[in-house]
Amino acid sequence: MRKVGVLVLLGVSTFVGSLAIAQNESPVPRRDINAVLAAHDKALLAIPGVVGVYVGTLDDGTPCLKVMLAEKNSESEGKIPSMIDGYPVLTEVTGEIRPQKDR
Amino acid sequence: MSSPNSILRIVVISVITIAGTCFSPVSSAAPPAGVLNESHAAVQAVMAVQNQVTSDLMRQPEILGTAVGIDTAENPVLTVYVDRDAANAGDVIRDLPRQFGGVGVQVQLTDKFRAMARPPGGGVSHTARQALPISLGTSGGWTYDLANGYCCGGTLGSLVSIGGQQYILSNYHVFEADIVNGGNNRKATTGDPIIQPGLIDVSCNNANAQSVATLQVHHSLPNSNVDCSVAQVLSGRVRTDGAILEIGTISRSTVGASINQAVKKSGRTTGLTRSSVSGLNATISVTYDNECAGGIAFTKTFTGQIVVSNRGSKFLNSGDSGSLMVEDVATNPRAVGLLFAGSSSTAIANPIDEVLRFLSATMVGN
């Protein structure tokens, strides 16, 4: 019974996802955003100038991925997709992230 | 013997006003040549007028001081500071003459002047040598953290318990990041003293600091996912309740981070500050030195980190490393993260549970 329920749920979510892609050409997130981040963080960090990536939110609370840049760099930004697995991707210039010891 | 007014005048004259002119000064000629110090004739002319009129002006409680300033054309003028909070500030400004004896007058609205000898935050210093036993959230570090012409330090952040013993919790890079003989012919070693305040607050001379704990190296970096280190407390040197300056005691329980969660910390450089969590599960690259002001040791990529808003480094700045980030509640807040890195817009914390798991530790608290 439990297995059937899970299958039905999966089927519904797949259907809804497909519909969204067909109608909006904007995929609805299918995976948990943390799994998406884990799958893409290394590739994003490999882009020159990227110092970090994290799970944040848009102003309306929508989950998104935020990519941290050491400096404003249109070449780096051009390599960062605006959407990954249905989640918006935003860039922000944070500067280098350094240990906060003083000298 | 300086009077309060002359002290104020000295203070404000050195500030030389930047902006805030409410009406145009009289002078419109080209700026006078030479350095505008107290020997300059144009400055002396304004000072002479200032001496004549300041006493009368300051009979009005809304007028907080005067100074020699410069107008937008860089001509010396008399700057009159008016209390921006005064209900009748507009009337006061309107009634001020536009010149005194040919010297232009400009108005600057200002907050009330306050003595700055005491640090912000209710007069609590996070850098001064404390009476024993010390509270945490204070300046500290490895007693030998001096190399390459610099000394280094951070924050003794909080107290943890490991195997029934109490330890100060801070960062790896505050306590034990000296991993080469390099500039001081020494590496951080278990048994080395941890001092309060850190060398950066005692002119790099550890004779002016006090030993409060003994380093126990854990080599959390570069291999683990946390930047932490501990030092076993010397008996009677640290408050056993783990109280943190301006936060007080904390809970022995911890809490996970959540987006928009209100947090606070108490650290060596910025003292007690507040912010909010802006991101979770961050993957972050951080580069570490191999000793104080040394070369690059390694670049570490952390995962699962907490991101905190840090506009203008007001929440976390250099020297705050090792601070404990707690939930922003008044009584016995629960620990959220161990702050260790950041930039002028972003602060990063290790999730505290991962730190405690690495150390097999628990927070000391209620």
Side-chain angles (χ1 to χ4, degrees), chain B residues 197-242:
Chain B
L199 287 178
I200 42 176
D201 294 310
V202 288
S203 305
C204 302
N205 182 358
N206 61 9
N208 296 327
Q210 54 191 340
S211 296
V212 293
T214 303
L215 176 61
Q216 187 172 95
V217 298
H218 275 70
H219 303 295
S220 64
L221 293 179
N223 295 323
S224 85
N225 194 43
V226 288
D227 179 349
C228 68
S229 185
V230 292
Q232 186 168 5
V233 166
L234 293 171
S235 179
R237 302 292 177 97
V238 179
R239 282 180 57 151
T240 56
D241 62 359

Side-chain angles (χ1 to χ4, degrees), chain B residues 100-122:
Chain B
F100 286 111
V103 169
V105 173
Q106 69 179 1
V107 171
Q108 185 158 349
L109 288 168
T110 179
D111 294 327
K112 289 182 178 63
F113 296 119
R114 292 183 172 84
M116 297 299 283
R118 288 162 70 92

Side-chain angles (χ1 to χ4, degrees), chain B residues 12-87:
Chain B
V12 293
I13 201 171
S14 66
V15 171
I16 300 293
T17 185
I18 300 166
T21 309
C22 289
F23 38 76
S24 302
V26 170
S27 175
S28 59
V35 178
L36 290 175
N37 57 24
E38 291 183 40
S39 304
H40 196 287
V43 173
Q44 288 181 345
V46 178
M47 289 172 67
V49 168
Q50 182 187 22
N51 287 335
Q52 290 173 9
V53 302
T54 295
S55 303
D56 287 340
L57 288 173
M58 292 191 66
R59 288 201 180 94
Q60 302 178 70
E62 301 83 0
I63 293 180
L64 302 174
T66 67
V68 179
I70 52 172
D71 63 14
T72 52
E74 300 188 357
N75 292 298
V77 293
L78 180 67
T79 298
V80 178
Y81 293 91
V82 176
D83 184 352
R84 71 166 74 247
D85 296 325

